[in-house]
Amino acid sequence: MIQYGVDLLWVLILLSFGLSALAVFVSIFRHRRQRSRTASMPASGDDVASEAARKVLREFEKNGQSVDAALVTWSPETLRKILTEDLPDAQVIVVSNREPYIHNEKNGEVELVVPASGLVAALEPITRVCAGTWIAYGGGSADREVVDSNDRVQVPPGNPSYTLRRVWLTDEEYQGYYLGFANEGLWPLCHIAFTRPIFRDSDWEAYEAANRKFADTVVAEARNERPIVLVQDYHFALLPRMIRERLPDAIVITFWHIPWPNSEVFSICPWRERILDGLLGSSIIGFHTQFHANNFTESVDRFMESRIERADAAVSYGGQTTLVHAYPISIEWPVELLKTLPSVEQSQRHIRERFGIPADAKLCVGVERLDYTKGILDRFHALEELFIRHPETIGKVVFLQIAAPSRGTLPAYKQLHEECLRYAEELNERYGSETYRPVVLVAEHHSQKHVYEIYRAADICLVTSLHDGMNLVAKEFVASRDDEQGVLLLSTFAGASRELLEALIVNPYDAAMMSETMLQALTMGPEEQHERMRRMREIVRDNNVYRWAGSMLLDAARLRKRDELDRVTALSDRSVNGDNVVSMFERRQAVGYR
């Protein structure tokens, strides 16, 4: 009797499963029939246009790169092809505070200076390829002497390929816009480096006026109403909106080269809504990392009346859609400068002779502006910790710090310079001798060629920023080492640490951990160095600056196609509604004539 009950129970269970499966099958069959019937029905014009726009938006990858980007060999030729095929006749305008070529007066003659700037190193090859116009502040003492009547000069010298248009600012404007609001306000706010931001009404007014002056210059340089404008960095947060007001059909791509803080930190800024409104005048806003892009989106969500399209990485605000993407910046590959440099062995000999570094000592180098975000003092702490923990390394390690003077009139930078000099002197007195200095601090500007020679001479390169956007020094060091030797110590708070995973990743705030990682680098064998450097060079080669620029230009091309679709749709709607009197100019604009 018990066995009969068990059998009956199993029959009921199996029957239940069978009925459930049948129900699922019927549901799927009905859903497919309904979807097929819906697809065959004619859609309304609004539905078609809306779906077309959504499809275009889905083409934008969340990291700013297309699906097959990794299969493309990115080079100047790749960019030219994009411009020719996807953006025919498009005018490319670059806007930055720093100019790529500076003319200074020296001993009664004009001297040309190419600044050792990560932004310039990244953008200059792109502007050459695009044959574009670069608008920048003319701060050189002889800059006015070499421009034409329209404040333009053709560059590079000797082989001109694009136009440099200089903008003039008074000393008061520069003080308030650049040194004041940009670098005493936005810079410490965004870097969270425990330096209090300073906000003054007069600085804000100067910042707004300078942005307006650059907007006027962009409009004056635009050959038509639809240029592609590449706005660079935190100096121009208001510029995209100002351009949009004057050139509504322009594609404005703003790239924010420094971190974007979380919304709580950003709320400190008294003009936060104005800054966000200005940036949302952009068609595309780019950041180095997805983390910074997310922080920006959260700030917009908190302070602005907007709709966040998280699935499409876009913000709808004021009737306009702005895409917010991560585009990791990089350097050119191959580095043309390497062709002019001596071999690694010769570079090592030159640098050691110049700075008095013993032949049996390992050479550690740091190269950057003298800035409190770069972690220079923290490296000195780590070096001292290394000597305390491992006294056998005293006399066997020299740290060469190249620290180009920067913003020296600001109190925070003056104090940093004094602290670095004092600490370096203390370390040399405590651990040095007549023939040995553990720290060589060189607070001077160096040419890019000399910087690369220092990279090639180094056993270890320290890039230990306390907070950074990308930090191209890390990538430059890797690119310089065609011998596939050398070790990179890289801060986890630099954007480059997301790509260069074979570097020794460190927390610059932890001196003990940094010292042990330095010891690991000092004792690393050539085979391990080769394997790590080979992989990092592959990453820099594949993710070069042409890929960075090409990804943004491809997104700009897709936006342009979407705008053309919108114009065609608008013209069709006017015809359907009875207003079929359309000018020839409107029809030419709709089909993409420029």
Side-chain angles (χ1 to χ4, degrees), residues 137-210:
Y137 162 63
S141 57
D143 275 354
R144 290 180 184 268
E145 297 179 22
V146 300
V147 297
D148 63 16
S149 58
N150 294 310
D151 298 324
R152 302 179 185 132
V153 59
Q154 299 302 309
V155 291
N159 184 27
S161 57
Y162 67 93
T163 301
L164 172 58
R165 168 68 190 273
R166 285 171 169 151
V167 177
W168 314 115
L169 301 174
T170 66
D171 290 342
E172 293 75 16
E173 287 174 324
Y174 187 77
Q175 179 73 34
Y177 138 77
Y178 178 78
L179 294 175
F181 188 77
N183 286 307
E184 285 190 293
L186 288 179
W187 180 267
L189 177 73
C190 291
H191 280 88
I192 319 175
F194 309 109
T195 297
R196 180 188 174 106
I198 299 173
F199 296 108
R200 309 179 187 90
D201 283 340
S202 58
D203 290 344
W204 170 257
E205 291 170 2
Y207 184 84
E208 190 173 23

Side-chain angles (χ1 to χ4, degrees), residues 507-547:
N507 177 358
Y509 293 94
D510 187 343
M513 179 260 205
M514 276 244 286
S515 70
E516 293 301 320
T517 308
M518 287 177 69
L519 182 65
Q520 179 186 353
L522 291 168
T523 57
M524 184 182 295
E527 289 187 5
E528 183 178 351
Q529 291 183 40
H530 167 75
E531 285 302 313
R532 288 175 179 270
M533 187 60 70
R534 180 186 59 81
R535 176 58 184 147
M536 289 191 289
R537 285 175 61 80
E538 290 175 354
I539 294 296
V540 177
R541 178 198 67 199
D542 294 341
N543 297 344
N544 59 37
V545 72
Y546 304 110
R547 180 172 182 174

Side-chain angles (χ1 to χ4, degrees), residues 316-503:
S316 294
Y317 170 76
Q320 178 193 336
T321 297
T322 300
L323 304 175
V324 182
H325 287 166
Y327 303 92
I329 200 171
S330 193
I331 60 175
E332 66 174 336
W333 186 282
V335 179
E336 292 296 318
L337 186 61
L338 289 183
K339 298 176 182 178
T340 67
L341 292 178
S343 67
V344 170
E345 292 77 14
Q346 290 174 314
S347 296
Q348 291 171 344
R349 186 167 58 254
H350 293 166
I351 297 302
R352 286 176 179 270
E353 288 175 357
R354 175 174 177 180
F355 296 106
I357 298 166
D360 60 343
K362 294 281 189 177
L363 176 58
C364 305
V365 303
V367 180
E368 51 260 306
R369 290 183 304 102
L370 191 61
D371 193 287
Y372 52 76
T373 66
K374 302 303 181 181
I376 297 173
L377 287 171
D378 300 86
R379 289 176 209 163
F380 292 170
H381 282 296
L383 181 64
E384 183 171 24
E385 189 73 18
L386 175 70
F387 290 158
I388 293 172
R389 288 168 169 260
H390 304 280
E392 70 277 8
T393 61
I394 299 174
K396 302 297 182 183
V397 181
V398 174
F399 178 42
L400 172 61
Q401 176 65 60
I402 306 297
S406 175
R407 306 164 190 166
T409 60
L410 299 181
Y413 290 83
K414 285 183 179 179
Q415 181 182 346
L416 174 66
H417 190 191
E418 293 169 0
E419 289 181 359
C420 286
L421 290 173
R422 183 170 59 251
Y423 200 172
E425 185 177 346
E426 289 176 1
L427 290 174
N428 287 334
E429 288 180 356
R430 192 174 303 138
Y431 301 104
S433 65
E434 292 183 1
T435 59
Y436 168 66
R437 286 188 304 160
V439 177
V440 180
L441 176 61
V442 184
E444 300 174 0
H445 291 283
H446 286 73
S447 69
Q448 196 73 357
K449 183 175 181 178
H450 188 224
V451 165
Y452 266 81
E453 192 173 7
I454 292 172
Y455 292 148
R456 289 164 73 78
D459 296 296
I460 303 168
C461 181
L462 288 87
V463 180
T464 54
S465 312
L466 304 180
H467 201 184
D468 223 328
M470 174 57 66
N471 197 306
L472 292 180
V473 168
K475 295 186 176 184
E476 288 175 350
F477 173 69
V478 168
S480 75
R481 298 312 295 257
D482 49 8
D483 63 333
E484 297 186 341
Q485 290 295 294
V487 183
L488 174 64
L489 262 70
L490 181 57
S491 168
T492 186
F493 303 115
S497 65
R498 273 67 169 177
E499 294 181 79
L500 304 179
L501 303 179
E502 286 72 24

Side-chain angles (χ1 to χ4, degrees), residues 52-246:
R54 279 195 290 270
K55 284 181 178 179
V56 171
L57 280 172
R58 289 191 197 106
E59 292 182 15
F60 296 93
E61 299 294 327
K62 304 307 176 289
N63 63 352
Q65 298 180 19
S66 60
V67 176
D68 59 349
L71 304 178
V72 177
T73 300
W74 292 89
S75 66
E77 290 68 33
T78 313
L79 278 189
R80 291 189 187 97
K81 186 175 181 182
I82 291 172
L83 290 167
T84 302
E85 297 182 0
D86 297 284
L87 293 165
D89 302 322
Q91 180 192 11
V92 176
I93 300 175
V94 175
V95 185
S96 71
N97 177 77
R98 178 71 63 89
E99 56 183 338
Y101 296 93
I102 304 170
H103 292 90
N104 286 326
E105 184 177 347
K106 185 176 181 180
N107 300 324
E109 297 182 354
V110 175
E111 179 187 49
L112 179 68
V113 177
V114 180
S117 160
L119 183 146
V120 169
L123 282 169
E124 214 271 337
I126 306 308
T127 317
R128 274 192 269 116
V129 170
C130 298
T133 299
W134 189 320
I135 299 173
Y137 162 63
S141 57
D143 275 354
R144 290 180 184 268
E145 297 179 22
V146 300
V147 297
D148 63 16
S149 58
N150 294 310
D151 298 324
R152 302 179 185 132
V153 59
Q154 299 302 309
V155 291
N159 184 27
S161 57
Y162 67 93
T163 301
L164 172 58
R165 168 68 190 273
R166 285 171 169 151
V167 177
W168 314 115
L169 301 174
T170 66
D171 290 342
E172 293 75 16
E173 287 174 324
Y174 187 77
Q175 179 73 34
Y177 138 77
Y178 178 78
L179 294 175
F181 188 77
N183 286 307
E184 285 190 293
L186 288 179
W187 180 267
L189 177 73
C190 291
H191 280 88
I192 319 175
F194 309 109
T195 297
R196 180 188 174 106
I198 299 173
F199 296 108
R200 309 179 187 90
D201 283 340
S202 58
D203 290 344
W204 170 257
E205 291 170 2
Y207 184 84
E208 190 173 23
N211 273 244
R212 181 70 65 188
K213 185 172 287 189
F214 275 86
D216 293 341
T217 306
V218 169
V219 173
E221 291 296 320
R223 294 194 297 265
N224 55 50
E225 296 180 349
R226 307 179 67 198
I228 296 174
V229 186
L230 306 179
V231 177
Q232 305 301 310
D233 225 353
Y234 62 103
H235 311 96
F236 300 113
L238 305 180
L239 185 57
R241 177 65 62 197
M242 293 176 175
I243 295 173
R244 178 73 56 204
E245 291 170 353
R246 308 271 294 279

Side-chain angles (χ1 to χ4, degrees), residues 15-39:
L15 181 62
S16 175
F17 274 123
L19 290 173
S20 298
L22 180 62
V24 170
F25 174 78
V26 170
S27 176
I28 292 173
F29 178 74
R30 287 178 175 175
H31 175 72
R32 287 182 174 176
R33 286 191 62 190
Q34 178 65 28
R35 188 171 63 180
S36 175
R37 188 181 302 116
T38 302

